[in-house]
Amino acid sequence: MSESCNHDCSSCSQNCSERQQQQSLKAELNELSSVKKVIAVLSGKGGVGKSLVTGLLACQAQKAGWKTAIMDADITGPSIPKMFGITNHAQGTEQGIFPEVTSSGIEQISVNLLLENATDPVLWRGPIVASVVKQFWSNVIWNDVDFMFVDMPPGTGDVALTVFQSLPIAGVIIVTSPQELVSMIVTKALKMASMMDVPVLGLVENMSYLECPDCGKQIPLFGKSNIEEFASEHNLPILARIPIIPSVAEACDQGKIEIIERQFFDADLLKSWME
């Protein structure tokens, strides 16, 4: 135990003897809920398309026949409801909160579904934000979910730590972009997952290239990608390389991500994660 220990294990990632004497920090799932697999979508920094990857994964899983849900854990920068065109407010009873359901049947919860106005800023300090994430797990009634994808906030801060400690995370998907600087940021996310003893399922490179609409040529707007070298160095699979596609961005802006027909992930991935 460190001399600076404040005995609050929920804010610490160290595996000291003091922690081993503590009870599990896992939050209890609502007694009316059922969730089989929880997968977190993480990025070391903002602006790399973490929410897009979360949305695309959820849509593909739902279309493949898996009952799917999204927990929007990016409390201060939620974007999931807008991508799916959801503007309703979540309702509830004494038994819990009911998630909103998209047109294709994806359940989701986000702080924007609880605020009076979606544009209202969330001016909460870290402990309150972390508490809300735990309530999304314990207070929301999730209906027989096969896959829950957790859209994490950027970085490796307090909320990310709370998600790892409070939810039964089966694995992490790390989203990156082609810039060289990102490899350093991704390494931080990898090390956090390792410290929390959570397996990394693989990497997704977003904005990998631009597809020419006329000839189909791949144009690397951010220069040559080094994701193959990085993945090989860390012995990780590349789950997808998602190009910049204006029609995809437009669909998300219009709240119609579910109409995107193109699949960016191997269909067998979901099966392997469920095993």
Side-chain angles (χ1 to χ4, degrees):
M1 181 175 64
S2 170
E3 294 181 357
S4 61
C5 179
N6 62 3
H7 303 286
D8 180 10
C9 293
S10 65
S11 63
C12 176
S13 62
Q14 299 298 315
N15 292 317
C16 65
S17 58
E18 183 75 9
R19 173 182 294 281
Q20 295 171 0
Q21 297 172 9
Q22 298 287 331
Q23 294 183 350
S24 173
L25 297 174
K26 298 297 183 186
E28 291 187 10
L29 186 64
N30 188 291
E31 61 181 8
L32 300 178
S33 296
S34 173
V35 180
K36 294 179 181 177
K37 290 287 183 177
V38 183
I39 296 176
V41 182
L42 179 67
S43 63
K45 62 186 293 292
V48 297
K50 166 183 50 60
S51 297
L52 172 65
V53 171
T54 302
L56 292 174
L57 274 168
C59 289
Q60 185 166 332
Q62 187 74 12
K63 291 175 181 176
W66 304 100
K67 182 62 185 300
T68 308
I70 299 177
M71 179 191 292
D72 190 352
D74 193 354
I75 304 299
T76 60
S79 57
I80 292 295
K82 178 176 174 57
M83 293 169 60
F84 285 85
I86 293 182
T87 57
N88 297 331
H89 288 86
Q91 304 296 318
T93 66
E94 292 181 354
Q95 295 178 307
I97 301 170
F98 300 111
E100 285 297 308
V101 182
T102 71
S103 59
S104 68
I106 300 173
E107 295 186 356
Q108 62 177 245
I109 192 66
S110 170
V111 73
N112 265 10
L113 303 179
L114 305 175
L115 298 175
E116 183 175 354
N117 299 300
T119 56
D120 289 344
V122 178
L123 303 178
W124 300 337
R125 294 191 182 276
I128 298 178
V129 173
S131 175
V132 170
V133 171
K134 294 174 69 174
Q135 290 179 53
F136 281 173
W137 178 254
S138 299
N139 293 1
V140 175
I141 301 173
W142 301 102
N143 182 29
D144 198 21
V145 171
D146 293 312
F147 280 112
M148 173 181 285
F149 296 99
V150 182
D151 185 16
M152 301 277 280
T156 56
D158 188 55
V159 177
L161 182 61
T162 296
V163 171
F164 280 127
Q165 291 180 328
S166 302
L167 274 60
I169 304 296
V172 173
I173 296 169
I174 297 182
V175 183
T176 181
S177 61
Q179 294 102 317
E180 184 177 353
L181 173 64
V182 174
S183 62
M184 178 188 70
I185 305 298
V186 173
T187 302
K188 291 179 181 290
L190 286 173
K191 289 184 176 180
M192 180 180 190
S194 176
M195 291 174 65
M196 303 306 299
D197 197 27
V198 176
V200 177
L201 301 177
L203 304 173
V204 175
E205 185 179 71
N206 188 37
M207 299 179 285
S208 186
Y209 53 87
L210 175 67
E211 287 185 341
C212 175
D214 297 322
C215 66
K217 180 181 178 180
Q218 297 182 2
I219 305 171
L221 291 182
F222 298 101
K224 182 181 181 298
S225 170
N226 67 346
I227 190 169
E228 287 86 1
E229 294 85 349
F230 185 86
S232 176
E233 178 184 349
H234 294 276
N235 195 28
L236 292 171
I238 300 173
L239 305 179
R241 298 185 66 181
I242 302 176
I244 299 172
I245 306 176
S247 61
V248 170
E250 183 179 0
C252 293
D253 288 342
Q254 294 179 353
K256 299 179 180 180
I257 188 174
E258 290 165 294
I259 70 171
I260 298 172
E261 296 183 357
R262 180 167 174 175
Q263 294 191 350
F264 297 96
F265 304 92
D266 190 303
D268 291 334
L269 275 178
L270 297 168
K271 294 179 182 179
S272 66
W273 295 340
M274 187 55 70
E275 294 174 354

